[in-house]
Amino acid sequence: MKNSSSTVAWSKFAVLFVCLLLFVFPFLLLLVNSFKENKAITSSPLSLPESFNMTNYSDAFGKMDYVSAFSNSIMITVLSVLLISLLAAMTAHYFVRHQTKLNQYTFFLMVAAMIIPFQAIMIPLVKIYGSIGFLDSKWALIYMYIGFGSPLAVFIYHGFVKSIPAELEEAALIDGCTRTQTFFRIVFPVLTPTTVTIAILNVLWIWNDFLLPSLVLIAPEERTLPLSTFYFFGTYTVDYGPLMAGLMLTILPVLIVYLFAQKYIIQGVMQGSIK
């Protein structure tokens, strides 16, 4: 019995280790090649660099206008995630506590909107908003992220709000709280695990998104980090070394945030899954 259980344990470990390698390999390949010159990358992409030269990183930092692009990405991501989380939680709470026919139909329409692929509406979207001069603005991009991100967030919040006893809110109202105070003091804190999960999903999506910003943001000073990596693609050539370094500079902020906040992120996901 002990031999069979140890064999099963080692088999699980081997499978997990292989999965880990599959996930980590692309990142390691990117990291290794970010220190090489173009010729070394194209001739032997799997080999280790002869020396850890930081020239690619300095070139990428300057060519991407990293400080400006980083500020744009931070502003767009933070404001979009905060507004999606807050507005979706309020909307889901209203749908649950006021179950009218209109609210039910509206909720079903929001859920149904999730099955429409963005590629199907991106051309009409750009034409309509371009005709009214609403493009080339970070605020326009934030507005669109709220629209595209809210349906899934409302759907997730809706299920969790139903698990909150209405008696809690009724007790708060009896104690003198307004409905707004009841939501922010009673309901929203209880939804913290769900909010963490939704924030993680939206941060990864918005920070790494290339397609929507490429359609909305035109001026170079408005570009986000993923858009700035496009500077390394010429008409006939690609600067692979600075491109790899630029991608690493784009990934690093999210990795650093995760390393410092992984405890709280894991706790939020676990509590959300238990509920």
Side-chain angles (χ1 to χ4, degrees):
M1 290 294 292
K2 288 184 178 180
N3 291 334
S4 61
S5 60
S6 62
T7 303
V8 171
W10 276 105
S11 300
K12 290 181 179 179
F13 174 80
V15 171
L16 291 174
F17 185 74
V18 170
C19 291
L20 175 64
L21 289 178
L22 290 175
F23 278 103
V24 173
F25 179 74
F27 176 77
L28 293 178
L29 190 64
L30 179 66
L31 178 62
V32 167
N33 284 291
S34 67
F35 296 101
K36 298 180 185 177
E37 296 180 353
N38 281 357
K39 184 178 180 181
I41 294 173
T42 53
S43 60
S44 55
L46 297 178
S47 64
L48 293 174
E50 296 179 358
S51 62
F52 290 92
N53 194 343
M54 300 300 292
T55 304
N56 288 337
Y57 283 90
S58 59
D59 291 345
F61 192 90
K63 199 168 185 179
M64 292 171 67
D65 193 5
Y66 187 83
V67 175
S68 175
F70 179 79
S71 301
N72 291 336
S73 289
I74 283 287
M75 175 185 172
I76 291 168
T77 303
V78 170
L79 288 180
S80 298
V81 171
L82 287 177
L83 290 171
I84 288 172
S85 301
L86 178 60
L87 297 177
M90 296 173 71
T91 303
H93 178 262
Y94 182 79
F95 284 162
V96 172
R97 296 296 183 239
H98 301 82
Q99 295 187 1
T100 63
K101 287 290 184 183
L102 178 60
N103 286 347
Q104 290 177 2
Y105 290 140
T106 307
F107 174 69
F108 289 140
L109 285 174
M110 292 189 73
V111 173
M114 292 191 296
I115 67 174
I116 302 174
F118 172 72
Q119 290 78 2
I121 61 172
M122 64 181 185
I123 295 177
L125 183 79
V126 173
K127 282 189 175 181
I128 293 170
Y129 284 107
S131 64
I132 61 176
F134 197 59
L135 297 181
D136 202 18
S137 168
K138 291 189 285 288
W139 299 106
L141 185 60
I142 292 170
Y143 168 76
M144 292 181 187
Y145 276 135
I146 294 171
F148 288 117
S150 293
L152 177 61
V154 170
F155 177 73
I156 295 174
Y157 272 126
H158 191 272
F160 282 88
V161 171
K162 287 193 295 186
S163 67
I164 301 175
E167 290 77 11
L168 284 176
E169 298 175 47
E170 293 171 359
L173 291 172
I174 292 172
D175 288 340
C177 287
T178 63
R179 292 192 179 276
T180 303
Q181 291 173 332
T182 301
F183 176 79
F184 284 105
R185 293 183 181 182
I186 305 297
V187 178
F188 201 57
V190 175
L191 294 174
T192 299
T194 314
T195 304
V196 171
T197 303
I198 290 171
I200 295 168
L201 294 174
N202 285 307
V203 164
L204 293 175
W205 161 49
I206 295 171
W207 183 270
N208 295 317
D209 189 28
F210 179 87
L211 183 56
L212 186 56
S214 68
L215 297 172
V216 177
L217 303 177
I218 301 169
E221 63 272 12
E222 298 286 341
R223 291 178 177 173
T224 58
L225 282 176
L227 276 184
S228 298
T229 58
F230 199 67
Y231 284 121
F232 304 109
F233 289 89
T235 305
Y236 301 106
T237 58
V238 180
D239 291 332
Y240 287 108
L243 172 61
M244 301 290 182
L247 291 173
M248 282 300 304
L249 291 173
T250 303
I251 296 169
L252 267 178
V254 177
L255 286 179
I256 293 172
V257 169
Y258 179 78
L259 288 175
F260 282 99
Q262 60 179 327
K263 175 183 176 182
Y264 306 100
I265 292 172
I266 293 170
Q267 283 180 353
V269 173
M270 290 297 294
Q271 291 178 23
S273 63
I274 291 171
K275 283 196 172 186

